Amino acid sequence: MQVTAYLIPALFIFVLCYSLAKRHNAYQSFAEGASQALNLIFKVFPYLLTVMIAVEIFRQTGVSAGLAKLVSPALGVFGIPKELSELVLLRPLSGAGSLAILDNIYSVHGTDTYIGKCASVIYGSSETIFYVATIYFTGTKIKKLRYAIPLSLLATFVGVIVGCWMVRLL
């Protein structure tokens, strides 16, 4: 058995012993944390549902595929293959939707091709920005997103470009 199999139980025992040593009521703290988590779920759910529905409409109507065709020449300038355009557009919006596109890319182009490797790098090194922003900013008192989403999108785009360049070099 590997050491990692003991990591979670060891962490659990450590926290329990630490709370006993500090004379904290671990059970009550856990129950309060669970209660706060439920409140957060009820607060976040409408926003999360809205994002999920919007992404599904975006994909099912074909708007994402059309938009991908439209921006693929611009992405090509940065060295991103046109076959990855829809993945680049959808990844910041949806994990499940982009996973379906990734699976399609693997089926059509294979996993060991340049396109397949770039798709893997794009999927593995980027995040569903709007989903994370929905969860994070709903759970905090921050109401003005200001530069958070534009900078996240820019960083993701730069990561996609650098990732595709690195795949080409390796």
Side-chain angles (χ1 to χ4, degrees):
M1 200 173 236
Q2 294 181 358
V3 175
T4 56
Y6 296 106
L7 189 62
I8 298 293
L11 183 62
F12 181 76
I13 291 169
F14 172 76
V15 169
L16 185 61
C17 290
Y18 182 78
S19 68
L20 287 172
K22 292 289 189 175
R23 299 187 189 268
H24 288 284
N25 187 345
Y27 180 76
Q28 182 163 349
S29 295
F30 177 80
E32 287 174 9
S35 172
Q36 289 174 359
L38 285 174
N39 289 337
L40 179 62
I41 288 170
F42 289 128
K43 214 158 106 177
V44 169
F45 184 73
Y47 298 101
L48 188 58
L49 184 63
T50 302
V51 168
M52 292 169 72
I53 289 171
V55 167
E56 195 59 27
I57 290 170
F58 186 64
R59 280 198 64 226
Q60 293 299 324
T61 58
V63 172
S64 66
L67 193 56
K69 282 183 182 179
L70 186 68
V71 300
S72 63
L75 293 176
V77 170
F78 295 103
I80 301 166
K82 66 179 179 186
E83 295 85 357
L84 302 178
S85 298
E86 191 172 11
L87 180 62
V88 170
L89 289 175
L90 202 60
R91 182 63 179 143
L93 299 171
S94 168
S98 55
L99 184 60
I101 293 169
L102 180 68
D103 184 50
N104 185 36
I105 290 170
Y106 288 163
S107 297
V108 173
H109 301 283
T111 56
D112 290 335
T113 63
Y114 172 69
I115 291 172
K117 289 177 182 179
C118 281
S120 297
V121 168
I122 290 168
Y123 187 84
S125 64
S126 57
E127 186 56 71
T128 52
I129 295 167
F130 291 96
Y131 172 81
V132 171
T134 299
I135 299 296
Y136 177 75
F137 288 116
T138 303
T140 63
K141 299 210 180 334
I142 298 171
K143 297 299 176 210
K144 293 184 180 178
L145 300 181
R146 205 162 169 89
Y147 301 115
I149 290 179
L151 284 175
S152 298
L153 291 171
L154 178 65
T156 297
F157 185 65
V158 169
V160 166
I161 294 168
V162 171
C164 286
W165 285 350
M166 295 301 289
V167 169
R168 189 177 302 246
L169 291 174
L170 299 174

mmCIF file of all heavy atoms in Angstrom, residues 74-109:
data_model
loop_
_atom_site.group_PDB
_atom_site.id
_atom_site.type_symbol
_atom_site.label_atom_id
_atom_site.label_comp_id
_atom_site.label_asym_id
_atom_site.label_seq_id
_atom_site.Cartn_x
_atom_site.Cartn_y
_atom_site.Cartn_z
ATOM 1 N N ALA A 74 -8.173 33.673 -36.379
ATOM 2 C CA ALA A 74 -7.444 34.515 -35.421
ATOM 3 C C ALA A 74 -6.627 33.651 -34.464
ATOM 4 O O ALA A 74 -5.489 34.000 -34.113
ATOM 5 C CB ALA A 74 -8.416 35.398 -34.644
ATOM 6 N N LEU A 75 -7.196 32.527 -34.023
ATOM 7 C CA LEU A 75 -6.456 31.630 -33.132
ATOM 8 C C LEU A 75 -5.280 30.989 -33.864
ATOM 9 O O LEU A 75 -4.238 30.730 -33.257
ATOM 10 C CB LEU A 75 -7.384 30.552 -32.570
ATOM 11 C CG LEU A 75 -8.473 31.031 -31.609
ATOM 12 C CD1 LEU A 75 -9.371 29.871 -31.205
ATOM 13 C CD2 LEU A 75 -7.881 31.696 -30.396
ATOM 14 N N GLY A 76 -5.447 30.741 -35.168
ATOM 15 C CA GLY A 76 -4.372 30.171 -35.978
ATOM 16 C C GLY A 76 -3.141 31.051 -36.022
ATOM 17 O O GLY A 76 -2.012 30.560 -36.116
ATOM 18 N N VAL A 77 -3.344 32.355 -35.943
ATOM 19 C CA VAL A 77 -2.221 33.295 -35.925
ATOM 20 C C VAL A 77 -1.327 33.026 -34.715
ATOM 21 O O VAL A 77 -0.109 33.173 -34.776
ATOM 22 C CB VAL A 77 -2.741 34.756 -35.901
ATOM 23 C CG1 VAL A 77 -1.631 35.745 -35.638
ATOM 24 C CG2 VAL A 77 -3.455 35.073 -37.193
ATOM 25 N N PHE A 78 -1.935 32.593 -33.614
ATOM 26 C CA PHE A 78 -1.185 32.314 -32.388
ATOM 27 C C PHE A 78 -0.688 30.871 -32.314
ATOM 28 O O PHE A 78 -0.158 30.448 -31.303
ATOM 29 C CB PHE A 78 -2.053 32.612 -31.164
ATOM 30 C CG PHE A 78 -2.407 34.057 -31.033
ATOM 31 C CD1 PHE A 78 -3.669 34.503 -31.388
ATOM 32 C CD2 PHE A 78 -1.484 34.972 -30.565
ATOM 33 C CE1 PHE A 78 -4.009 35.843 -31.262
ATOM 34 C CE2 PHE A 78 -1.807 36.312 -30.444
ATOM 35 C CZ PHE A 78 -3.070 36.752 -30.799
ATOM 36 N N GLY A 79 -0.911 30.094 -33.366
ATOM 37 C CA GLY A 79 -0.431 28.725 -33.401
ATOM 38 C C GLY A 79 -1.391 27.698 -32.833
ATOM 39 O O GLY A 79 -1.009 26.565 -32.568
ATOM 40 N N ILE A 80 -2.641 28.087 -32.653
ATOM 41 C CA ILE A 80 -3.643 27.171 -32.125
ATOM 42 C C ILE A 80 -4.388 26.561 -33.306
ATOM 43 O O ILE A 80 -4.987 27.280 -34.101
ATOM 44 C CB ILE A 80 -4.623 27.900 -31.187
ATOM 45 C CG1 ILE A 80 -3.855 28.535 -30.033
ATOM 46 C CG2 ILE A 80 -5.686 26.948 -30.666
ATOM 47 C CD1 ILE A 80 -4.652 29.535 -29.237
ATOM 48 N N PRO A 81 -4.360 25.235 -33.429
ATOM 49 C CA PRO A 81 -5.047 24.590 -34.556
ATOM 50 C C PRO A 81 -6.543 24.895 -34.561
ATOM 51 O O PRO A 81 -7.169 24.998 -33.505
ATOM 52 C CB PRO A 81 -4.801 23.099 -34.328
ATOM 53 C CG PRO A 81 -3.615 23.031 -33.437
ATOM 54 C CD PRO A 81 -3.658 24.265 -32.595
ATOM 55 N N LYS A 82 -7.115 25.020 -35.756
ATOM 56 C CA LYS A 82 -8.535 25.364 -35.882
ATOM 57 C C LYS A 82 -9.433 24.312 -35.254
ATOM 58 O O LYS A 82 -10.530 24.624 -34.797
ATOM 59 C CB LYS A 82 -8.905 25.576 -37.344
ATOM 60 C CG LYS A 82 -8.824 24.338 -38.186
ATOM 61 C CD LYS A 82 -9.215 24.595 -39.616
ATOM 62 C CE LYS A 82 -9.069 23.283 -40.374
ATOM 63 N NZ LYS A 82 -9.277 23.377 -41.743
ATOM 64 N N GLU A 83 -8.979 23.065 -35.184
ATOM 65 C CA GLU A 83 -9.775 21.994 -34.586
ATOM 66 C C GLU A 83 -9.972 22.187 -33.082
ATOM 67 O O GLU A 83 -10.849 21.572 -32.485
ATOM 68 C CB GLU A 83 -9.096 20.630 -34.825
ATOM 69 C CG GLU A 83 -9.014 20.224 -36.271
ATOM 70 C CD GLU A 83 -7.800 20.793 -37.002
ATOM 71 O OE1 GLU A 83 -7.032 21.567 -36.399
ATOM 72 O OE2 GLU A 83 -7.636 20.461 -38.186
ATOM 73 N N LEU A 84 -9.177 23.043 -32.485
ATOM 74 C CA LEU A 84 -9.254 23.271 -31.037
ATOM 75 C C LEU A 84 -10.024 24.540 -30.674
ATOM 76 O O LEU A 84 -10.163 24.866 -29.503
ATOM 77 C CB LEU A 84 -7.846 23.342 -30.451
ATOM 78 C CG LEU A 84 -6.973 22.113 -30.689
ATOM 79 C CD1 LEU A 84 -5.592 22.319 -30.110
ATOM 80 C CD2 LEU A 84 -7.627 20.877 -30.126
ATOM 81 N N SER A 85 -10.530 25.243 -31.671
ATOM 82 C CA SER A 85 -11.202 26.520 -31.432
ATOM 83 C C SER A 85 -12.395 26.389 -30.487
ATOM 84 O O SER A 85 -12.562 27.186 -29.562
ATOM 85 C CB SER A 85 -11.671 27.137 -32.748
ATOM 86 O OG SER A 85 -10.587 27.395 -33.581
ATOM 87 N N GLU A 86 -13.233 25.390 -30.717
ATOM 88 C CA GLU A 86 -14.413 25.239 -29.861
ATOM 89 C C GLU A 86 -14.010 24.874 -28.437
ATOM 90 O O GLU A 86 -14.616 25.350 -27.480
ATOM 91 C CB GLU A 86 -15.359 24.192 -30.443
ATOM 92 C CG GLU A 86 -16.705 24.185 -29.746
ATOM 93 C CD GLU A 86 -17.730 23.288 -30.412
ATOM 94 O OE1 GLU A 86 -17.376 22.500 -31.310
ATOM 95 O OE2 GLU A 86 -18.897 23.374 -30.019
ATOM 96 N N LEU A 87 -12.975 24.067 -28.281
ATOM 97 C CA LEU A 87 -12.487 23.725 -26.936
ATOM 98 C C LEU A 87 -11.971 24.966 -26.217
ATOM 99 O O LEU A 87 -12.263 25.176 -25.043
ATOM 100 C CB LEU A 87 -11.388 22.662 -27.023
ATOM 101 C CG LEU A 87 -10.772 22.208 -25.704
ATOM 102 C CD1 LEU A 87 -11.822 21.550 -24.813
ATOM 103 C CD2 LEU A 87 -9.611 21.273 -25.950
ATOM 104 N N VAL A 88 -11.226 25.801 -26.935
ATOM 105 C CA VAL A 88 -10.692 27.035 -26.342
ATOM 106 C C VAL A 88 -11.836 27.955 -25.906
ATOM 107 O O VAL A 88 -11.778 28.564 -24.840
ATOM 108 C CB VAL A 88 -9.755 27.762 -27.332
ATOM 109 C CG1 VAL A 88 -9.385 29.141 -26.837
ATOM 110 C CG2 VAL A 88 -8.517 26.930 -27.584
ATOM 111 N N LEU A 89 -12.884 28.030 -26.709
ATOM 112 C CA LEU A 89 -14.014 28.905 -26.372
ATOM 113 C C LEU A 89 -14.865 28.348 -25.231
ATOM 114 O O LEU A 89 -15.349 29.096 -24.396
ATOM 115 C CB LEU A 89 -14.905 29.109 -27.593
ATOM 116 C CG LEU A 89 -14.347 29.974 -28.705
ATOM 117 C CD1 LEU A 89 -15.296 29.975 -29.888
ATOM 118 C CD2 LEU A 89 -14.105 31.387 -28.211
ATOM 119 N N LEU A 90 -15.057 27.035 -25.201
ATOM 120 C CA LEU A 90 -15.987 26.449 -24.241
ATOM 121 C C LEU A 90 -15.353 26.115 -22.903
ATOM 122 O O LEU A 90 -16.050 26.070 -21.888
ATOM 123 C CB LEU A 90 -16.627 25.200 -24.845
ATOM 124 C CG LEU A 90 -17.942 24.773 -24.233
ATOM 125 C CD1 LEU A 90 -18.982 25.875 -24.369
ATOM 126 C CD2 LEU A 90 -18.444 23.512 -24.891
ATOM 127 N N ARG A 91 -14.046 25.907 -22.853
ATOM 128 C CA ARG A 91 -13.393 25.504 -21.603
ATOM 129 C C ARG A 91 -13.632 26.491 -20.460
ATOM 130 O O ARG A 91 -13.890 26.064 -19.345
ATOM 131 C CB ARG A 91 -11.898 25.283 -21.850
ATOM 132 C CG ARG A 91 -11.156 24.812 -20.626
ATOM 133 C CD ARG A 91 -11.631 23.465 -20.154
ATOM 134 N NE ARG A 91 -10.867 23.062 -18.981
ATOM 135 C CZ ARG A 91 -11.373 22.421 -17.966
ATOM 136 N NH1 ARG A 91 -12.618 22.045 -17.962
ATOM 137 N NH2 ARG A 91 -10.635 22.118 -16.930
ATOM 138 N N PRO A 92 -13.563 27.794 -20.662
ATOM 139 C CA PRO A 92 -13.830 28.704 -19.544
ATOM 140 C C PRO A 92 -15.284 28.664 -19.058
ATOM 141 O O PRO A 92 -15.586 29.127 -17.969
ATOM 142 C CB PRO A 92 -13.515 30.094 -20.112
ATOM 143 C CG PRO A 92 -12.633 29.845 -21.259
ATOM 144 C CD PRO A 92 -13.047 28.534 -21.824
ATOM 145 N N LEU A 93 -16.174 28.100 -19.859
ATOM 146 C CA LEU A 93 -17.591 28.087 -19.507
ATOM 147 C C LEU A 93 -18.040 26.792 -18.849
ATOM 148 O O LEU A 93 -18.832 26.811 -17.907
ATOM 149 C CB LEU A 93 -18.443 28.313 -20.766
ATOM 150 C CG LEU A 93 -18.237 29.629 -21.490
ATOM 151 C CD1 LEU A 93 -18.970 29.619 -22.810
ATOM 152 C CD2 LEU A 93 -18.694 30.777 -20.620
ATOM 153 N N SER A 94 -17.577 25.663 -19.354
ATOM 154 C CA SER A 94 -18.135 24.390 -18.920
ATOM 155 C C SER A 94 -17.103 23.284 -18.907
ATOM 156 O O SER A 94 -16.439 23.047 -19.916
ATOM 157 C CB SER A 94 -19.281 24.001 -19.860
ATOM 158 O OG SER A 94 -19.673 22.672 -19.654
ATOM 159 N N GLY A 95 -17.018 22.587 -17.793
ATOM 160 C CA GLY A 95 -16.138 21.433 -17.711
ATOM 161 C C GLY A 95 -16.697 20.251 -18.468
ATOM 162 O O GLY A 95 -15.992 19.584 -19.227
ATOM 163 N N ALA A 96 -17.989 19.970 -18.294
ATOM 164 C CA ALA A 96 -18.612 18.823 -18.951
ATOM 165 C C ALA A 96 -18.695 19.030 -20.458
ATOM 166 O O ALA A 96 -18.423 18.110 -21.239
ATOM 167 C CB ALA A 96 -20.009 18.580 -18.383
ATOM 168 N N GLY A 97 -19.046 20.227 -20.885
ATOM 169 C CA GLY A 97 -19.128 20.523 -22.311
ATOM 170 C C GLY A 97 -17.771 20.432 -22.979
ATOM 171 O O GLY A 97 -17.639 19.877 -24.073
ATOM 172 N N SER A 98 -16.753 20.955 -22.315
ATOM 173 C CA SER A 98 -15.420 20.888 -22.901
ATOM 174 C C SER A 98 -14.862 19.471 -22.859
ATOM 175 O O SER A 98 -14.091 19.077 -23.731
ATOM 176 C CB SER A 98 -14.471 21.880 -22.225
ATOM 177 O OG SER A 98 -14.436 21.683 -20.841
ATOM 178 N N LEU A 99 -15.289 18.674 -21.886
ATOM 179 C CA LEU A 99 -14.878 17.268 -21.853
ATOM 180 C C LEU A 99 -15.480 16.500 -23.032
ATOM 181 O O LEU A 99 -14.813 15.657 -23.642
ATOM 182 C CB LEU A 99 -15.285 16.617 -20.534
ATOM 183 C CG LEU A 99 -14.835 15.179 -20.320
ATOM 184 C CD1 LEU A 99 -13.318 15.071 -20.365
ATOM 185 C CD2 LEU A 99 -15.362 14.660 -18.991
ATOM 186 N N ALA A 100 -16.718 16.825 -23.380
ATOM 187 C CA ALA A 100 -17.344 16.192 -24.547
ATOM 188 C C ALA A 100 -16.601 16.576 -25.826
ATOM 189 O O ALA A 100 -16.388 15.727 -26.704
ATOM 190 C CB ALA A 100 -18.809 16.604 -24.643
ATOM 191 N N ILE A 101 -16.188 17.822 -25.929
ATOM 192 C CA ILE A 101 -15.425 18.263 -27.101
ATOM 193 C C ILE A 101 -14.056 17.588 -27.123
ATOM 194 O O ILE A 101 -13.588 17.159 -28.176
ATOM 195 C CB ILE A 101 -15.298 19.802 -27.108
ATOM 196 C CG1 ILE A 101 -16.667 20.429 -27.341
ATOM 197 C CG2 ILE A 101 -14.301 20.263 -28.160
ATOM 198 C CD1 ILE A 101 -16.709 21.907 -27.118
ATOM 199 N N LEU A 102 -13.426 17.458 -25.958
ATOM 200 C CA LEU A 102 -12.144 16.778 -25.866
ATOM 201 C C LEU A 102 -12.261 15.327 -26.322
ATOM 202 O O LEU A 102 -11.421 14.829 -27.077
ATOM 203 C CB LEU A 102 -11.613 16.841 -24.437
ATOM 204 C CG LEU A 102 -10.269 16.177 -24.171
ATOM 205 C CD1 LEU A 102 -9.145 16.933 -24.877
ATOM 206 C CD2 LEU A 102 -10.005 16.108 -22.674
ATOM 207 N N ASP A 103 -13.321 14.656 -25.890
ATOM 208 C CA ASP A 103 -13.557 13.273 -26.300
ATOM 209 C C ASP A 103 -13.727 13.179 -27.815
ATOM 210 O O ASP A 103 -13.194 12.264 -28.450
ATOM 211 C CB ASP A 103 -14.788 12.727 -25.578
ATOM 212 C CG ASP A 103 -15.020 11.269 -25.901
ATOM 213 O OD1 ASP A 103 -14.064 10.469 -25.789
ATOM 214 O OD2 ASP A 103 -16.161 10.924 -26.270
ATOM 215 N N ASN A 104 -14.434 14.131 -28.392
ATOM 216 C CA ASN A 104 -14.616 14.169 -29.842
ATOM 217 C C ASN A 104 -13.285 14.385 -30.562
ATOM 218 O O ASN A 104 -13.005 13.752 -31.582
ATOM 219 C CB ASN A 104 -15.623 15.254 -30.219
ATOM 220 C CG ASN A 104 -15.930 15.249 -31.701
ATOM 221 O OD1 ASN A 104 -15.992 14.206 -32.322
ATOM 222 N ND2 ASN A 104 -16.100 16.431 -32.259
ATOM 223 N N ILE A 105 -12.464 15.254 -30.030
ATOM 224 C CA ILE A 105 -11.142 15.499 -30.620
ATOM 225 C C ILE A 105 -10.309 14.221 -30.583
ATOM 226 O O ILE A 105 -9.647 13.869 -31.563
ATOM 227 C CB ILE A 105 -10.426 16.665 -29.897
ATOM 228 C CG1 ILE A 105 -11.117 17.988 -30.222
ATOM 229 C CG2 ILE A 105 -8.944 16.721 -30.282
ATOM 230 C CD1 ILE A 105 -10.654 19.156 -29.378
ATOM 231 N N TYR A 106 -10.356 13.521 -29.457
ATOM 232 C CA TYR A 106 -9.620 12.252 -29.356
ATOM 233 C C TYR A 106 -10.137 11.234 -30.363
ATOM 234 O O TYR A 106 -9.360 10.501 -30.960
ATOM 235 C CB TYR A 106 -9.743 11.665 -27.957
ATOM 236 C CG TYR A 106 -8.962 12.384 -26.880
ATOM 237 C CD1 TYR A 106 -9.260 12.172 -25.546
ATOM 238 C CD2 TYR A 106 -7.922 13.252 -27.177
ATOM 239 C CE1 TYR A 106 -8.557 12.801 -24.539
ATOM 240 C CE2 TYR A 106 -7.221 13.900 -26.184
ATOM 241 C CZ TYR A 106 -7.537 13.660 -24.861
ATOM 242 O OH TYR A 106 -6.837 14.284 -23.868
ATOM 243 N N SER A 107 -11.447 11.172 -30.546
ATOM 244 C CA SER A 107 -12.030 10.204 -31.481
ATOM 245 C C SER A 107 -11.634 10.495 -32.921
ATOM 246 O O SER A 107 -11.352 9.581 -33.690
ATOM 247 C CB SER A 107 -13.553 10.218 -31.372
ATOM 248 O OG SER A 107 -13.968 9.822 -30.099
ATOM 249 N N VAL A 108 -11.632 11.762 -33.280
ATOM 250 C CA VAL A 108 -11.350 12.149 -34.662
ATOM 251 C C VAL A 108 -9.848 12.174 -34.956
ATOM 252 O O VAL A 108 -9.401 11.668 -35.991
ATOM 253 C CB VAL A 108 -11.982 13.524 -34.985
ATOM 254 C CG1 VAL A 108 -11.564 14.029 -36.349
ATOM 255 C CG2 VAL A 108 -13.495 13.446 -34.878
ATOM 256 N N HIS A 109 -9.058 12.754 -34.049
ATOM 257 C CA HIS A 109 -7.642 12.998 -34.333
ATOM 258 C C HIS A 109 -6.686 12.088 -33.579
ATOM 259 O O HIS A 109 -5.498 12.055 -33.910
ATOM 260 C CB HIS A 109 -7.287 14.456 -34.023
ATOM 261 C CG HIS A 109 -8.086 15.438 -34.813
ATOM 262 N ND1 HIS A 109 -7.820 15.708 -36.131
ATOM 263 C CD2 HIS A 109 -9.160 16.188 -34.485
ATOM 264 C CE1 HIS A 109 -8.686 16.598 -36.582
ATOM 265 N NE2 HIS A 109 -9.512 16.905 -35.597
#
